[in-house]
Amino acid sequence: MKNKSLVSINDYDKEKYIEILDLAEEFEKNPRQKILENHVIASLFFEPSTRTRLSFESAINQLGGRIVGFTDASSSSVKKGESLVDTIKTVANYSDLIVMRHPVEGSARLASEVSSVPIINAGDGANQHPTQCLLDLYSIRKTQSTLENLDIAFVGDLKYGRTVHSLVIAMTNFNCTYHLVSPNELKLPSSVKRHIKENNLTYYQYTNLDEAIPKADIVYMTRIQRERFADPLEYEKVKNSYVLKNDMLKDSKENLRILHPLPRVNEISEDVDTNPKAYYFQQALNGVYVRQALLSSILGLK
Amino acid sequence: MVNGKELKVSAIENGTVIDHIPSKSVFQVIKFLNLESYKNQLYFGINLESKKYEKKGIIKIRNRYIKSEEANKIALVAPTATLIEIKNFQVINKYNVTIPDKINKFIKCINPNCITNVQNIPTKFSIIDKDNLKLHCHYCEKVLTQENMIFL
């Protein structure tokens, strides 16, 4: 699939997910291959994102590619008022592929329509972050040896969390059973739940985290942000109910692994970090292999 | 009825009749077709008796035919509408409007942080539910429902 942008996780089907995950597995065994040696990758971060940017840059560097770009829109022509379309058309002249993070939703789709080189969306506002979703899938498959027939608990902000939305939708391909744990204010929106229903999959909703943990193969934690609540009192009421502590894991399954897209604030207490069921730091490392797989697949090098 | 005399709306020689419009949508259709400043004859009626529906609206436009993209637009607010094309007082074509699969340009995305609202980019939607009229933004991937639809 040469010269094809990845904007949304919905651009790929099940077969393509598996292809990327298999390729990522290859890179995990051998992450330093000089296959990008003759390539220039543009890395356009219109808003700062340390983790995603470093993960991409590490992936590119390990493959011997060169990087041009900016890490913050304030140091670019965007500050002078250049439109996104103009910026992308120009940068496409200087590079073989563009990795782009932008605060506005839909910006990556627009970029993919005007760019002469492929775009990888590294996050467009609250909309899509497909490379995160693929690394989540990779982490799930690696820890469970399969993606099929799993019980996954999604915890925290299910209303606004874009990583949750993408992963919920991607997992509809694998006969997933969903355990949705959130305060009432932050339940999974119907536009996402629609996908679960359309595929006739089972889901349970909880407001209590303890109930869901014993059933789960994967617990996917997310952060609840104060600014999501119209009433600050509501936030104070729920903020401690969705914190994962080590003693809550005592009745959990042996194969349970805990994922988190990071950054974590206080929603996973630090005493969990040393529990072998904690997987969030390895999950971040997997991001490098998945991004290597995507870069080489999109550029037609693998 | 005025003093027993009936006010008659004459048939048009050439032009279009849009029939079976829900009464509440008549003004919207007039706006869509830019008929507010139309220089030729235009008749419209609301809350008229209808055999098919309880009450209906109708618009007759002299010397104007409706393009298919305009018909698509009408379908969004008046899915029951029938278009009748007339030449020399004869009906030459009659069809029901249909909701299209895709809609470009004239609906605003509800998401203020969508690129179409931030930069000067025409909107694009695909219609994912024709019965309940749900639109999916091609750019920000948000879903619009009938209640939050704003026409540009």
Side-chain angles (χ1 to χ4, degrees):
Chain A
M1 220 199 256
K2 210 180 174 221
N3 274 353
K4 184 125 187 352
S5 295
L6 173 59
V7 171
S8 163
I9 195 66
N10 310 318
D11 294 349
Y12 281 3
D13 58 10
K14 179 176 179 174
E15 205 175 299
K16 187 70 187 172
Y17 296 157
I18 303 293
E19 184 191 317
I20 296 295
L21 302 191
D22 289 346
L23 202 49
E25 221 163 58
E26 247 181 68
F27 280 108
E28 179 167 4
K29 288 179 200 132
N30 181 15
R32 303 205 173 181
Q33 312 175 28
K34 298 293 169 207
I35 56 172
L36 280 183
E37 211 149 34
N38 299 313
H39 288 81
V40 176
I41 309 295
S43 163
L44 308 186
F45 279 70
F46 293 86
E47 66 174 2
S49 157
T50 315
R51 195 174 328 275
T52 304
R53 182 171 60 80
L54 293 184
S55 169
F56 264 110
E57 290 183 0
S58 174
I60 296 162
N61 276 308
Q62 292 189 55
L63 299 181
R66 298 289 182 138
I67 300 166
V68 296
F70 50 82
T71 57
D72 180 350
S74 64
S75 61
S76 77
S77 56
V78 178
K79 209 186 165 195
K80 298 175 189 161
E82 188 179 49
S83 76
L84 176 64
V85 169
D86 287 9
T87 307
I88 294 297
K89 280 183 178 166
T90 311
V91 173
N93 292 330
Y94 307 147
S95 58
D96 301 300
L97 182 150
I98 297 172
V99 174
M100 171 179 143
R101 155 78 68 127
H102 197 285
V104 176
E105 286 122 43
S107 53
R109 179 69 66 197
L110 176 66
S112 74
E113 291 174 340
V114 298
S115 172
S116 55
V117 300
I119 302 279
I120 296 181
N121 182 8
D124 61 327
N127 182 31
Q128 283 279 338
H129 191 1
T131 65
Q132 175 71 45
C133 187
L134 283 162
L135 83 87
D136 291 341
L137 290 176
Y138 186 79
S139 301
I140 294 170
R141 191 174 79 162
K142 192 168 147 77
T143 58
Q144 307 297 324
S145 309
T146 178
L147 284 168
E148 302 284 346
N149 311 318
L150 295 172
D151 280 75
I152 303 188
F154 292 88
V155 183
D157 180 357
L158 308 188
K159 185 173 182 185
Y160 298 99
R162 66 179 171 195
T163 57
V164 168
H165 300 171
S166 299
L167 189 56
V168 163
I169 294 169
M171 286 306 297
T172 59
N173 290 293
F174 303 101
N175 195 32
C176 180
T177 300
Y178 297 86
H179 303 272
L180 308 172
V181 188
S182 73
N184 278 323
E185 292 84 351
L186 298 177
K187 286 199 325 209
L188 195 71
S190 56
S191 57
V192 181
K193 215 179 276 169
R194 175 173 69 91
H195 294 270
I196 302 179
K197 290 179 184 164
E198 276 172 9
N199 287 283
N200 296 318
L201 297 171
T202 310
Y203 69 96
Y204 304 95
Q205 301 195 95
Y206 312 77
T207 49
N208 182 347
L209 176 55
D210 284 305
E211 273 178 58
I213 290 175
K215 300 176 181 120
D217 300 307
I218 291 285
V219 170
Y220 194 91
M221 296 293 298
T222 62
R223 182 156 52 105
I224 292 180
Q225 290 167 282
R226 184 189 301 267
E227 54 269 31
R228 299 303 187 198
F229 288 82
D231 181 355
L233 201 65
E234 287 302 313
Y235 171 75
E236 293 303 320
K237 275 193 223 160
V238 305
K239 70 172 183 188
N240 292 320
S241 329
Y242 301 92
V243 173
L244 185 65
K245 301 187 188 75
N246 200 31
D247 60 10
M248 294 163 80
L249 297 169
K250 58 183 188 300
D251 295 327
S252 63
K253 291 188 191 174
E254 201 49 51
N255 63 311
L256 169 75
R257 291 295 176 272
I258 300 147
L259 303 187
H260 190 302
L262 302 180
R264 162 198 40 188
V265 180
N266 61 354
E267 59 278 16
I268 302 178
S269 106
E270 283 167 16
D271 62 5
V272 179
D273 294 0
T274 50
N275 190 316
K277 293 175 180 175
Y279 193 73
Y280 25 95
F281 293 114
Q282 291 98 313
Q283 179 187 2
L285 171 62
N286 292 338
V288 174
Y289 312 132
V290 167
R291 289 173 178 124
Q292 289 179 321
L294 277 169
L295 288 162
S296 52
S297 162
I298 290 173
L299 288 168
L301 305 169
K302 283 268 177 182
Chain B
M1 305 281 262
V2 182
N3 296 334
K5 282 185 223 159
E6 204 172 336
L7 278 175
K8 275 196 179 167
V9 174
S10 60
I12 50 175
E13 186 178 353
N14 293 300
T16 307
V17 176
I18 310 170
D19 200 0
H20 304 121
I21 307 169
S23 288
K24 63 176 170 51
S25 302
V26 167
F27 291 104
Q28 189 104 56
V29 174
I30 289 176
K31 198 170 162 233
F32 280 175
L33 299 174
N34 289 319
L35 295 173
E36 289 146 315
S37 54
Y38 193 55
K39 297 284 186 282
N40 214 312
Q41 285 172 13
L42 172 75
Y43 307 97
F44 68 87
I46 59 172
N47 297 322
L48 307 175
E49 305 296 323
S50 166
K51 278 178 225 144
K52 236 176 165 177
Y53 305 96
E54 212 166 278
K55 297 275 182 191
K56 68 170 183 180
I58 192 165
I59 301 173
K60 295 186 177 192
I61 321 159
R62 194 172 165 223
N63 291 347
R64 167 91 135 80
Y65 296 96
I66 306 297
K67 298 187 203 89
S68 68
E69 62 194 73
E70 291 176 317
N72 289 343
K73 225 165 151 176
I74 294 169
L76 292 180
V77 293
T80 53
T82 314
L83 289 182
I84 304 157
E85 292 175 0
I86 293 169
K87 266 194 183 137
N88 299 321
F89 297 109
Q90 301 293 313
V91 173
I92 55 157
N93 194 9
K94 183 172 176 175
Y95 62 99
N96 296 325
V97 295
T98 49
I99 295 175
D101 297 327
K102 289 189 189 312
I103 285 281
N104 293 344
K105 288 178 195 163
F106 69 89
I107 294 173
K108 188 178 159 66
C109 182
I110 189 183
N111 174 10
N113 198 37
C114 175
I115 189 77
T116 59
N117 288 319
V118 176
Q119 298 196 358
N120 186 23
I121 306 294
T123 59
K124 284 186 197 173
F125 296 93
S126 51
I127 292 160
I128 52 171
D129 183 342
K130 290 191 182 183
D131 297 328
N132 302 306
L133 206 54
K134 286 187 179 162
L135 276 63
H136 181 259
C137 174
H138 169 74
Y139 291 104
C140 77
E141 306 187 20
K142 289 275 176 302
V143 174
L144 266 76
T145 55
Q146 196 146 22
E147 303 83 67
N148 48 40
M149 228 172 262
I150 297 170
F151 296 93
L152 295 170

